[in-house]
Amino acid sequence: MIKIANVSKHYGDFKVLTDCSTSVSKGEVIVVCGPSGSGKSTLIKCVNGLEPFQSGEITVNGISVGDPKTNLSKLRAQVGMVFQNFELFPHMSITQNLAIAQVKVLGRKQDEAMDKGLKLLDRVGLKAQADKFPGQLSGGQQQRVAIARALAMDPICMLFDEPTSALDPEMVNEVLDVMTELAQEGMTMMCVTHEMGFARRVANRVIFMDHGRIVEDDAKEAFFANPRSERAQQFLAKIL
Ligand code: ADP
Ligand code: MG
């Protein structure tokens, strides 16, 4: 579903990604972790074309992200992305937030988009909040809306960038529960997160990044039992 081959990216002399390669099969859940500044956000943003890269190749479902002929807005419509800070439209109601891209990007009718949005809102346990505005919801609720909004586009895979990092601790699980359900339903997911409990329960593989490189890419059992690099061992020792 996602293939990342020898991707490198630099800002001037600064190498933010160096020769990164991995792939994610259909239905697989990959957790990406590593220290702050190691390139995790940059890597997943490259996957849906939010960040350009200078060398290597990324394909999503066979479509080359770096190819100038690729229609990036069409690709992004198929790749759901959830950010740390929710990124909901503050001046729109929850239902409007859920409907807008369905109408503008996919050309769905307003009614159909509203219907689909409400169904997904129900699925994340927030049907009662439909007419509220983002600012009236808790962080955990806003993040669940953001996930529902991404799902409304019928994505072929989902990218998460530290979806629980901005949340108060008591709200983390309500978001992880939604992500766990999604994974169990077979969604292909690439999740940047430091929630190692989630990684242990849900991930198939864990990628560890350091200084722009993928230093470990292992089955989760192997990663947790015996990380190969010293850097990953130190990292795990600190956060577990
Ligand atoms: P992570 O998500 O692992 O914390 P990022 O992918 O956000 O890391 O960033 C990786 C590195 O790239 C960081 O050192 C960051 O400062 C640098 N970086 C990110 N965006 C830019 C930019 N636009 N210009 C220069 N450096 C950047
Ligand atoms: Mg980041």
Side-chain angles (χ1 to χ4, degrees), residues 20-217:
C20 292
S21 298
T22 190
S23 57
V24 188
S25 306
K26 193 167 191 295
E28 234 184 346
V29 178
I30 308 296
V31 159
V32 182
C33 61
S36 179
S38 57
K40 306 177 298 293
S41 296
T42 306
L43 183 68
I44 65 162
K45 282 185 196 155
C46 285
V47 172
N48 71 350
L50 282 177
E51 284 278 0
F53 47 95
Q54 284 95 0
S55 62
E57 189 177 34
I58 299 181
T59 56
V60 179
N61 208 16
I63 301 162
S64 172
V65 179
D67 184 341
K69 291 195 290 288
T70 296
N71 180 339
L72 281 182
S73 35
K74 203 171 148 196
L75 176 85
R76 285 192 202 116
Q78 296 182 283
V79 179
M81 175 116 193
V82 174
F83 300 90
Q84 187 173 345
N85 292 311
F86 333 130
E87 313 274 346
L88 298 175
F89 302 115
H91 58 290
M92 289 183 194
S93 72
I94 300 306
T95 36
Q96 288 169 325
N97 263 280
L98 286 159
I100 183 150
Q102 295 185 66
V103 173
K104 298 239 155 143
V105 181
L106 301 181
R108 287 185 184 146
K109 298 224 163 60
Q110 183 71 19
D111 285 358
E112 189 192 344
M114 289 284 201
D115 253 20
K116 179 147 185 128
L118 279 174
K119 280 201 187 96
L120 285 161
L121 209 51
D122 194 21
R123 182 167 154 192
V124 298
L126 294 173
K127 204 168 188 179
Q129 318 297 328
D131 297 323
K132 293 196 177 155
F133 284 78
Q136 297 173 288
L137 268 51
S138 72
Q141 290 175 325
Q142 289 187 58
Q143 194 59 297
R144 281 144 68 200
V145 170
I147 295 172
R149 182 176 63 173
L151 293 176
M153 304 297 280
D154 294 321
I156 55 174
C157 57
M158 289 279 288
L159 309 175
F160 293 87
D161 192 3
E162 303 208 34
T164 60
S165 302
L167 301 178
D168 291 335
E170 73 270 20
M171 291 171 191
V172 168
N173 281 333
E174 64 191 63
V175 171
L176 293 178
D177 287 349
V178 170
M179 292 169 65
T180 302
E181 258 181 55
L182 257 187
Q184 285 165 351
E185 287 162 15
M187 178 62 79
T188 307
M189 298 169 41
M190 204 166 168
C191 314
V192 176
T193 180
H194 292 149
E195 292 294 334
M196 291 298 128
F198 172 81
R200 274 181 199 274
R201 283 194 314 275
V202 181
N204 299 108
R205 278 184 9 245
V206 179
I207 285 175
F208 178 78
M209 291 186 72
D210 192 25
H211 294 295
R213 289 177 189 271
I214 293 179
V215 241
E216 310 243 354
D217 184 350

